[in-house]
Amino acid sequence: MHHAPPRVVARRFGSTLCALALTSVTWLYAAGAHAEELAERRNLVLSAERLFGFYINNVTVELNGRDDTTHQTVLGFGWSAASTALSTPRLGIDYLINDGLTLGGNIGFVSATRDGITSTGFLIGARIGYAVRLGHAVTLWPRGGLTYASVEPEGNARGLKTFALSFDVPFALSPTEGFAILLGPTLDLGVAGERGDLDASELLFGLMIGLCGWTGL
């Protein structure tokens, strides 16, 4: 039986995840049960996050008693060629446990080729947030939580694993009920990590664009 190479499988899986996120958001928008306002109690929100964005990524590795820092600028358009999983698009899900207060998380997958080396990885996160209605079509939705991200290159290159404090403060701009464009700053602050067998830390910040849809339960 023929098996597809790992990088092909990863790319297919990543594309499938992005398609699932967009399909879920579209379905919630089309559903007749959607709630008028994002911040209403008992709303279920599905998000396609970091579909586009501009990020600055710094990875610091402790090498022979000194810090060696790599700087990278990431222009994200779907799946970019970044060596980090933190900038990859992801599927988010959040629930309004009362008016404004949200609990949720996200998951994402990445496959990227850089300098002829293909890396695959994933991330998973949990978060809490508070959605503040600023107007009929504008909601400010600050969120914070923990993210675990891992990227493993093929061959003998060293992978990168990161535990990070993650924060984003998107504005949800709603052109119609049950659907919004997400736009705002984001920050991932690595508190622990490793590259191969070396201690490492990662810092990513920038501006992200995504989509979300919601329905009342």
Side-chain angles (χ1 to χ4, degrees), residues 34-66:
H34 61 245
E36 180 177 351
E37 301 295 342
L38 169 63
E40 290 180 2
R41 181 172 178 261
R42 294 183 179 177
N43 274 355
L44 178 68
V45 186
L46 294 181
S47 308
E49 302 171 359
R50 304 197 190 187
L51 295 177
F52 312 97
F54 178 79
Y55 312 102
I56 304 298
N57 179 238
N58 296 325
V59 177
T60 300
V61 178
E62 185 178 334
L63 184 62
N64 297 326
R66 63 180 180 85

Side-chain angles (χ1 to χ4, degrees), residues 83 112 117-121 151-160 195:
S83 59
I117 298 176
T118 297
S119 301
T120 57
V151 172
E152 293 291 343
E154 61 186 2
N156 296 322
R158 294 175 296 182
L160 177 63
R195 167 154 277 171

Side-chain angles (χ1 to χ4, degrees), residues 91-112:
L91 172 64
I93 182 168
D94 297 271
Y95 181 69
L96 275 290
I97 60 177
N98 60 30
D99 287 351
L101 184 62
T102 67
L103 290 177
N106 49 33
I107 187 170
F109 296 88
V110 60
S111 176

